[in-house]
Amino acid sequence: MALTSEGLAPGRALVSGGSGFLGSHLCRRLLDLGCQVVCVDNLVTGSRDLTAPLLDRPGFEFVEADISVAREYGADFAYVLHFASPASPPGYLRHPVLTLDAGAAGTRNMLDLALAAGARFLVASTSEVYGDPLVHPQPESYWGNVNSVGPRSVYDEAKRVAEAYTMAYHRSHGVDTRIVRIFNTYGPGMQVDDGRAIPNFVCQALRGEPITVYGDGSQTRSLCYVDDLIEGILRLLASDEVMPVNIGNQEEVTMLHLAEEVRAAVGSSSPIEHLPLPEDDPRQRRPDTTRARELLGWEPRTPFAEGLPPTIEWFRGRI
C-alpha cells in the first residue's frame, strides 16, 4: 500500500525556517494533519506574512530565533523538520556566512534537539548537492560535481554538510532521521525578489519588463508544484527510509521555453532579453524519482498548466 501524508501520526512538530516559502506550506499541512506546530524563523529571508494566517489556528506558535544559536525550545517534540536557510541565489549570496551557519551549526542544534526529545528528524536538502551534474537525470547515488570555492558553494556545501551531520547523528546517536533532496519548486508563497526563474519571469511579464534569460536559455530545470512537493516530504517523514530521497518533477523544460510559456500565460508582450550565464549555474537539472515512487508511492500530480495560474495570481497581488 502506498504511503500518504494522512498516515503521519499527529504530534508536536518544530519547523525551522517555517516562515519561508516551503516552510509555511509545511506548517499549514502539519496543522491540517492534527499536529501542533512551533515555527522558528529569524526572518532574514522568511516573511511573517506567510505564517500570519496561521496565528489564529489552535496549536500554532511562532518563535523568532536564529537556529544557528543554541537555545531551549522544550523537549516534547515528535518531529523536528529543519528547513531554515536562504534558498535562492540572491538570498544566499547576500548572506553567505549565515547560509553556512544554517547548514552546519543550525543542523547540529536541530539534531541535538531531536536527540534530546527522541523526535524524528527531517532535513531539507537540495538538488544543489549534485552541483553541475555529469550524470542525468540525477539519482540519489550520484555524488555530485560541486565547486567548493565557487560563489554558490555557500549553499551547496551547507546542504552537503547538513546531510553529513544528519547521517552522523543517525549512525552515532541513533537519531531517527530523514533526508529529502528538494528539486526546483514553484507556487504561491514565493517572494517577488526570490531571484529564481518562475518569480523573475512572472513578475517581469506582469510589469511589462524584458524577461531576462541567462545564457542562450538552453539550460534546463524540472519544476514541481509546491502542494505536490509537500505531500512527498510528509510521506517521507511518515516512512522508515533513512537514506536521501529525491522529491521533484521529472518533466524537463529549457529556460527559454519556460520564459515563453510564462509570457503567454500572463498575456504579456515583454521581449526576452539574454544575460550572461552566472558562474557555476547548472546546465541541466532533473531528478531520478524512482526511489520516491517505489518507497513512498509518490509522483507529482499537478501539470504546469494547472500550477502556473495560481502562481501568477499570487504575484499579481504583490507587485
Side-chain angles (χ1 to χ4, degrees):
M1 178 182 294
L3 288 167
T4 69
S5 58
E6 305 299 328
L8 188 70
R12 192 161 185 252
L14 182 143
V15 180
S16 75
S19 289
F21 167 46
L22 296 183
S24 59
H25 281 276
L26 184 59
C27 287
R28 185 176 302 106
R29 283 290 290 123
L30 287 167
L31 288 169
D32 291 344
L33 292 170
C35 291
Q36 296 178 306
V37 177
V38 177
C39 166
V40 180
D41 204 301
N42 63 3
L43 300 175
V44 169
T45 57
S47 171
R48 287 184 183 273
D49 292 344
L50 295 179
T51 46
L54 306 180
L55 292 174
D56 293 333
R57 293 191 59 171
F60 181 77
E61 177 185 355
F62 174 80
V63 177
E64 184 174 350
D66 182 351
I67 50 87
S68 299
V69 179
R71 59 162 287 171
E72 292 294 325
Y73 296 99
D76 55 339
F77 291 105
Y79 308 108
V80 175
L81 301 101
H82 180 32
F83 279 69
S85 175
S88 68
Y92 59 68
L93 292 175
R94 256 194 327 268
H95 304 287
V97 176
L98 183 150
T99 302
L100 287 163
D101 285 346
T107 302
R108 184 166 186 180
N109 286 336
M110 293 296 96
L111 281 161
D112 281 336
L113 173 61
L115 176 61
R120 180 169 296 176
F121 176 84
L122 182 144
V123 64
S125 187
T126 172
S127 60
E128 298 300 329
V129 300
Y130 301 122
D132 189 4
L134 304 178
V135 172
H136 193 72
Q138 295 82 57
E140 292 88 347
S141 58
Y142 178 51
W143 292 355
N145 178 41
V146 175
N147 177 4
S148 64
V149 294
R152 299 171 67 101
S153 67
V154 294
Y155 184 65
D156 301 356
E157 299 292 9
K159 291 300 188 179
R160 287 163 72 95
V161 78
E163 290 193 11
Y165 261 121
T166 299
M167 291 308 300
Y169 268 68
H170 173 73
R171 292 178 176 126
S172 298
H173 301 308
V175 177
D176 187 17
T177 58
R178 308 287 183 271
I179 299 172
V180 57
R181 288 181 180 162
I182 297 170
F183 280 69
N184 295 83
T185 308
Y186 72 100
M190 300 187 86
Q191 295 182 1
V192 169
D193 61 353
D194 179 276
R196 286 173 282 196
I198 290 289
N200 279 357
F201 294 169
V202 171
C203 292
Q204 289 165 344
L206 287 171
R207 291 171 175 145
E209 301 170 350
I211 298 175
T212 53
V213 173
Y214 295 111
D216 63 4
S218 63
Q219 67 272 34
T220 66
R221 296 294 183 269
S222 304
L223 302 167
C224 185
Y225 191 62
V226 63
D227 290 354
D228 293 338
L229 183 97
I230 296 300
E231 174 66 21
I233 289 170
L234 292 172
R235 289 190 191 198
L236 177 58
L237 184 64
S239 79
D240 296 325
E241 183 54 40
V242 171
M243 299 304 291
V245 176
N246 291 336
I247 299 291
N249 196 327
Q250 286 199 292
E251 292 187 11
E252 196 172 3
V253 62
T254 68
M255 291 299 93
L256 183 57
H257 182 69
L258 179 63
E260 292 168 344
E261 279 201 73
V262 167
R263 180 172 62 180
V266 171
S268 169
S269 58
S270 293
I272 291 176
E273 179 180 283
H274 292 267
L275 297 178
L277 196 64
E279 186 176 351
D280 296 331
D281 191 56
R283 291 163 295 177
Q284 51 189 3
R285 179 75 80 231
R286 177 162 66 94
D288 181 333
T289 56
T290 302
R291 282 169 52 75
R293 186 170 60 253
E294 292 180 350
L295 296 171
L296 311 177
W298 178 87
E299 290 185 277
R301 297 181 178 276
T302 307
F304 188 65
E306 290 182 15
L308 185 56
T311 306
I312 291 172
E313 290 311 304
W314 165 264
F315 286 114
R316 195 187 299 277
R318 285 159 180 81
I319 63 171

